[in-house]
Amino acid sequence: MKKILLMAAAAIVALVANGQQALGPASGIVSPEINPDNSVTFRYVNPKAIKVEVTGDFLPSVPIQIPGGGVWAAPSKAALKEGKDGVWTYTSEPLKGDFYSYTFVVDGQKVLDPNNVYLSRDIATFTNTFTLSTEAFDDGHYYMQNDVPHGTLTKVWYQSAKMDRRLTVYLPAGYEQNPKAKYPVLYLLHGSGGDENAWSELGRACQILDNLIAEGKAEKMIVVMPNGVVRNPSAPDAQENNMFQPTMTNSRDQDTKPMEDEFPVIKSFVEKNFRVKTGAANTAIAGLSMGGRHSFSISRRYPGTIGYVGMFSGAGNGPENEKELKALFAAKPTLYWIGVGSADGVQKTASALRDYCEEKGYPCEYHESDGGHIWKNWRAYLVIFAQKVFK
Amino acid sequence: MKKILLMAAAAIVALVANGQQALGPASGIVSPEINPDNSVTFRYVNPKAIKVEVTGDFLPSVPIQIPGGGVWAAPSKAALKEGKDGVWTYTSEPLKGDFYSYTFVVDGQKVLDPNNVYLSRDIATFTNTFTLSTEAFDDGHYYMQNDVPHGTLTKVWYQSAKMDRRLTVYLPAGYEQNPKAKYPVLYLLHGSGGDENAWSELGRACQILDNLIAEGKAEKMIVVMPNGVVRNPSAPDAQENNMFQPTMTNSRDQDTKPMEDEFPVIKSFVEKNFRVKTGAANTAIAGLSMGGRHSFSISRRYPGTIGYVGMFSGAGNGPENEKELKALFAAKPTLYWIGVGSADGVQKTASALRDYCEEKGYPCEYHESDGGHIWKNWRAYLVIFAQKVFK
């Protein structure tokens, strides 16, 4: 027996050294480090590198003209400085509270920070992320995992016409403990290149809802995040093509009709499988970019069933079907909300839709923020929109 | 109206070019590419690199002596060859069906494959992954997302003594459609450095269960994957320390007692919030490494309540409390299953436990596979174990 105990102890020591299957050793470096003044220090170890930079949305943007038209507000780069033992370092200016993305650029090649396990995927591009909050009620605060009751996140499959498809569903804290309670539903749609993981990961939807509900600023609600590309079953992690690499093309529907047709299928599944309050007063839809266009088209297609509509940087929302839009407003939706960045390529169509609504006497709220066609804006719009619904 | 339509079209073009917030352009390179003979081609673009290698568990292992004792079976490296335009290429031997991990090594630095969105985290290390199946019923087949009914994956929070903690729960396909059905429960525990995401991500637990159930090889069951480090609330993505970087130290409990005490709290929450069949005949526990030790300790602590026990490379399982072990076997568990690799540092304690059971006349199944303390084995053990329970 004593022998077995000694072997057990030896085995534990060996395991520690083994580090299970991790394919490389830890460096002992901390990166990123959020400093007391809310500046952030980035560190990277590479004695052989000639040039190490960091790029990310915490740095000022620089406009880049794209061949064929359009301007992309690309994050600028900042150079890290090499210290002893090949440790490169850069410290940012003090930052505002927000959820930030970055990568290193090592001799011209994008490299993820090997010391930061926080990653987010946008279409096919991974970036490291960090979240900071400079005061209790800034935007960063809403994006952080705080000591508040947390909702449940579920990935559930529903039967669509051609295949089973995956839905991401957020259930507010208390859902399980209150088996008779019913909740209103927000359908929250992603953009081109995205999928049913986009809002819960890059969009921080769970943190935003947890925090707004805990502070009494938003009603308890269920948030349903479908995959808006009807020919795709799911995000890559659950794709039957086990090597699916998303692109703007294979994860976008040019036409809104497939998603318009799919919406009642999703809604019916949700109403059958979760405890939801039904009717226009308890139903909201919002989306970013392509999802903004979907929200525009779906709300117009089914007048009188959706009380709250949010279009975040809605791509190509034009009132091309005036009769349906008239029917939508005849049913008096409680909120028709447009959010867009002043530097966004779709700012002109967004403000034109507002002008059209004003001309027709359709009640419409318009919110213009700084910046372009970026997640920073969409997270902020969700914070605003979620406080306006079901009240 | 026409003007608005034109602006809408222009906006869509701009968006395509914008690529939302993705911080870099796609390369147009396919990597990895699974060839018809099940060899795999890796490609990487870097005109400035001097040496590009790939390392991963599809390559033969090389033993590495660790200072202070222990041997680590590290994957070897293979060199990519530079072609025109700085495109480096390597094609593997034909591979057996399995779930594989790899990274590139560029001039000595580990770099993730920028053309593959499939990533898995092991403790604090990300690797790219790919899955292939060479025939219908090999192990790779079980790890793939196939065209079978899919279960639901839920991340739910339960109240623990000191904090709310997150659980990952798999519900078998049909759970929602059969609101009166009840299911047996497998508690599935991770190893040192892991968390409640480990089995559903690196462990392919959802795919394994979906596939085994669809083929009629496993019973429909609920799988509960808790966080086994009781002082941690959750994996990094839901940590209130929004910059938590897991290590072998901060994501391990040296002592099994905290998790032994936590188990009834988890079990009670699960039995209250999900439709479970209770009692030893409907309750299984299994875990890898530290989770194997937890399974050993928890089953011994609560004799008569758990009918099936699986210890996958159980770390340090020694029968140091013979009285409790006697009580466990007096209650006649249906299955007491040990799985370990022949090259695993814990093989000696695992086989010693089997010898002890044989000496005492305790029924015990022992399965020894090739290889060491690696996920490849743990996934394979889950495939075996899941077919043996609740029958």
Side-chain angles (χ1 to χ4, degrees), chain A residues 15 117 153 155 242 245 373, chain B residues 15 117 153 155 245 373:
Chain A
L15 276 177
V117 300
L153 189 69
K155 307 267 177 183
N242 290 263
Q245 308 296 332
H373 206 71
Chain B
L15 276 176
V117 300
L153 188 70
K155 306 267 176 181
Q245 307 296 332
H373 205 74

Side-chain angles (χ1 to χ4, degrees), chain B residues 103-322:
Chain B
T103 66
F104 292 129
V105 182
V106 180
D107 296 332
Q109 293 284 324
K110 206 196 78 172
V111 173
L112 290 168
D113 185 343
N115 294 297
N116 183 1
V117 300
Y118 290 81
L119 295 185
S120 281
R121 178 175 60 83
D122 192 14
I123 312 175
T125 305
F126 282 94
T127 53
N128 287 106
T129 65
F130 62 95
T131 318
L132 66 86
S133 175
T134 52
E135 48 185 274
F137 298 100
D138 64 3
D139 273 0
H141 167 78
Y142 292 121
Y143 308 149
M144 294 183 91
Q145 192 80 19
N146 292 314
D147 182 14
V148 298
H150 301 303
T152 297
L153 188 70
T154 291
K155 306 267 176 181
V156 62
W157 295 77
Y158 72 96
Q159 235 178 342
S160 178
K162 291 189 181 164
M163 67 189 101
D164 287 353
R165 304 184 72 246
R166 198 170 69 168
L167 278 182
T168 300
V169 180
Y170 167 90
L171 304 170
Y175 185 91
E176 289 82 6
Q177 290 74 29
N178 299 283
K180 289 186 176 171
K182 293 188 171 187
Y183 302 88
V185 184
L186 164 61
Y187 294 88
L188 190 58
L189 311 179
H190 63 79
S192 286
D195 52 50
E196 78 279 15
N197 290 350
W199 267 112
S200 62
E201 295 180 7
L202 208 43
R204 308 295 282 178
C206 304
Q207 287 82 5
I208 290 170
L209 268 295
D210 279 356
N211 289 319
L212 286 173
I213 291 169
E215 291 174 11
K217 292 180 177 168
E219 297 298 308
K220 287 182 185 170
M221 65 183 86
I222 294 172
V223 183
V224 174
M225 295 161 267
N227 190 306
V229 184
V230 178
R231 68 182 181 281
N232 288 346
S234 73
D237 62 298
Q239 275 260 0
E240 279 163 35
N241 172 353
N242 290 262
M243 290 275 82
F244 182 77
Q245 307 296 332
T247 65
M248 285 291 276
T249 311
N250 70 17
S251 298
R252 179 180 60 210
D253 272 330
Q254 290 285 3
D255 186 4
T256 62
K257 190 153 184 310
M259 192 56 183
E260 288 178 41
D261 294 343
E262 189 75 355
F263 183 72
V265 181
I266 295 169
K267 192 157 170 274
S268 158
F269 175 85
V270 167
E271 292 178 355
K272 198 171 167 187
N273 286 286
F274 299 95
R275 299 191 312 271
V276 308
K277 290 183 183 169
T278 55
N282 298 300
T283 307
I285 193 166
L288 74 90
S289 194
M290 177 182 82
R293 181 157 175 78
H294 284 155
S295 303
F296 172 78
S297 301
I298 290 168
S299 60
R300 190 182 57 179
R301 170 90 174 267
Y302 307 106
T305 67
I306 302 173
Y308 306 85
V309 184
M311 291 153 288
F312 307 168
S313 309
N317 292 3
E320 69 271 20
N321 188 331
E322 298 187 75

Side-chain angles (χ1 to χ4, degrees), chain A residues 211-227:
Chain A
N211 289 319
L212 286 174
I213 291 169
E215 291 174 12
K217 292 180 176 168
E219 297 298 307
K220 287 181 186 172
M221 66 183 86
I222 294 171
V223 183
V224 174
M225 294 161 268
N227 190 307

